[in-house]
Amino acid sequence: MVDRRREGRTLTQEFVRITIAGIGLRCAMRNLSPSGCMVECPDLTPRIGAPVELALLPEYIAQGQVAWQLGESIGIFFLEPIDAHVVRHYASDQWLPRGDWSFGGWALPRS
């Protein structure tokens, strides 16, 4: 597989709301860059090129397509680059547990 990334990925440890080909899910986002991300979604095998909507912040929805899929991992290419402040928001080196706003006030379980 050829790596076509233009920039490095920021490691993330967040759950995000994602819609792939009309199916809404909560998936673990493992990395993020202005041009794309990788998510882990159990029991989902989307087709390459399927449309994607990714809720990154309240009222900030990234539009993209499935670039690749391997096991539970799905690579997403954004149709338009996302803002750098959104990538910094998810950077795992500054990550602290916080409420999961993307599911109507549900909070992530604390361990």
Side-chain angles (χ1 to χ4, degrees):
M1 180 191 310
V2 176
D3 189 348
R4 298 179 211 161
R5 298 178 201 171
R6 293 185 198 132
E7 67 275 311
R9 303 281 182 180
T10 298
L11 297 179
T12 62
Q13 300 183 32
E14 296 281 340
F15 285 87
V16 293
R17 185 181 44 171
I18 187 169
T19 303
I20 298 180
I23 300 170
L25 301 163
R26 181 176 185 239
C27 299
M29 183 170 58
R30 298 301 181 207
N31 66 44
L32 177 66
S33 79
S35 63
C37 69
M38 182 187 76
V39 297
E40 292 178 349
C41 295
D43 304 320
L44 181 67
T45 53
R47 67 174 174 74
I48 305 303
V52 176
E53 288 186 347
L54 188 67
L56 293 172
L57 294 174
E59 299 182 26
Y60 194 106
I61 307 295
Q63 303 289 325
Q65 293 180 325
V66 173
W68 56 267
Q69 186 270 326
L70 181 62
E72 294 181 355
S73 298
I74 300 167
I76 298 169
F77 171 77
F78 297 137
L79 300 179
E80 297 288 329
I82 63 169
D83 292 339
H85 81 276
V86 175
V87 176
R88 284 191 303 271
H89 173 81
Y90 283 100
S92 63
D93 60 341
Q94 298 178 21
W95 184 84
L96 294 172
R98 54 187 175 263
D100 186 354
W101 58 266
S102 66
F103 290 90
W106 293 359
L108 294 175
R110 306 233 186 241
S111 45

